[in-house]
Amino acid sequence: GIQVEQSPPDLILQEGANSTLRCNFSDSVNNLQWFHQNPWGQLINLFYIPSGTKQNGRLSATTVATERYSLLYISSSQTTDSGVYFCAVLTGANNLFFGTGTRLTVIP
Amino acid sequence: EPEVTQTPSHQVTQMGQEVILRCVPISNHLYFYWYRQILGQKVEFLVSFYNNEISEKSEIFDDQFSVERPDGSNFTLKIRSTKLEDSAMYFCASSEKRGEPDNEQFFGPGTRLTVL
């Protein structure tokens, strides 16, 4: 099956710093989504981005489908950004395959 | 803004008991999904459902599991005889479309199932 790898697995940032999270996938995909899992376990939709670039406030994402990767940028990080960030890809089977996540800790 | 809701938020049960997890998908969505996440691990697909039948299911979704849309709003996951290894967070999701552009899946807040 498709492989979805995320890096880095863990990231610690000082509040106000910027970061880039990466998602590599092994096969062509129909959809790619980024999620933030907050400390209560909820999965929050960040981006639906099968290709191209999108921005939402301090967050932006870029997917280069032909090269099979996606990047999530977090600028001016805040403590509320802490949690686990997952990318998930959708193939012809129409179910999302999740990566193993990046655990982000933002310290004040 | 429309959202997927799930009840209960936390369910504790004894091994061997049946549990039913409930979800209300977004009202104009037609495709429904269940995923689970064992503590500390990634989210895994269980089953997808469309037009009152299962579309796809994973190897995890064995005979102990079943899904149902008993009325026009609820979507349920039943585990017939729970095992310790069923302890996990269970997420319901829904999407308006499937296999096309704009097939974004929206997730509920999850039900944390603890099997003792």
Side-chain angles (χ1 to χ4, degrees):
Chain A
I2 191 167
Q3 304 297 314
V4 182
E5 297 179 353
Q6 291 186 243
S7 59
D10 293 280
L11 185 59
I12 299 175
L13 294 177
Q14 200 77 40
E15 197 169 27
N18 303 328
S19 63
T20 301
L21 282 57
R22 187 176 180 102
C23 172
N24 292 331
F25 42 96
S26 61
D27 207 345
S28 59
V29 299
N30 295 327
N31 171 16
L32 187 142
Q33 294 184 235
W34 281 97
F35 297 90
H36 175 216
Q37 186 165 41
N38 64 22
W40 296 270
Q42 297 174 326
L43 284 170
I44 310 299
N45 286 49
L46 296 178
F47 293 101
Y48 168 84
I49 187 164
S51 63
T53 297
K54 289 186 178 178
Q55 177 142 15
N56 185 3
R58 296 182 295 103
L59 303 183
S60 64
T62 295
T63 297
V64 183
T66 53
E67 296 187 22
R68 298 181 183 168
Y69 73 89
S70 183
L71 302 174
L72 178 70
Y73 306 96
I74 304 174
S75 65
S76 304
S77 58
Q78 301 175 358
T79 54
T80 51
D81 294 332
S82 295
V84 183
Y85 289 80
F86 288 103
C87 73
V89 300
L90 190 122
T91 66
N94 290 300
N95 44 281
L96 285 173
F97 286 88
F98 280 74
T100 50
T102 292
R103 181 174 298 278
L104 175 65
T105 303
V106 181
I107 54 178
Chain B
E1 185 174 327
E3 57 183 20
V4 178
T5 60
Q6 290 186 242
T7 54
S9 56
H10 193 184
Q11 173 97 42
V12 181
T13 189
Q14 295 289 327
M15 191 169 55
Q17 295 297 303
E18 174 183 287
V19 295
I20 298 176
L21 310 183
R22 291 183 168 80
C23 167
V24 179
I26 294 172
S27 62
N28 65 329
H29 285 187
L30 301 176
Y31 302 93
F32 315 118
Y33 312 86
W34 284 101
Y35 293 81
R36 81 169 186 191
Q37 183 184 32
I38 295 172
L39 187 64
Q41 298 186 21
K42 64 180 182 180
V43 180
E44 301 173 289
F45 168 75
L46 290 178
V47 66
S48 61
F49 191 85
Y50 168 70
N51 200 24
N52 282 319
E53 59 183 33
I54 290 174
S55 305
E56 282 139 341
K57 59 182 181 179
S58 71
E59 293 176 353
I60 304 168
F61 194 88
D62 62 21
D63 292 343
Q64 294 296 316
F65 292 90
S66 63
V67 289
E68 191 178 35
R69 190 159 162 83
D71 54 43
S73 59
N74 288 284
F75 177 50
T76 62
L77 173 69
K78 182 194 290 187
I79 309 175
R80 242 178 295 278
S81 178
T82 50
K83 307 179 201 132
L84 294 176
E85 55 264 37
D86 293 327
S87 294
M89 180 78 99
Y90 288 81
F91 292 102
C92 172
S94 69
S95 65
E96 184 179 0
K97 297 181 182 178
R98 177 173 180 261
E100 305 171 16
D102 299 320
N103 51 6
E104 183 175 6
Q105 294 185 22
F106 293 86
F107 281 69
T111 292
R112 185 169 298 283
L113 176 65
T114 303
V115 182
L116 303 176

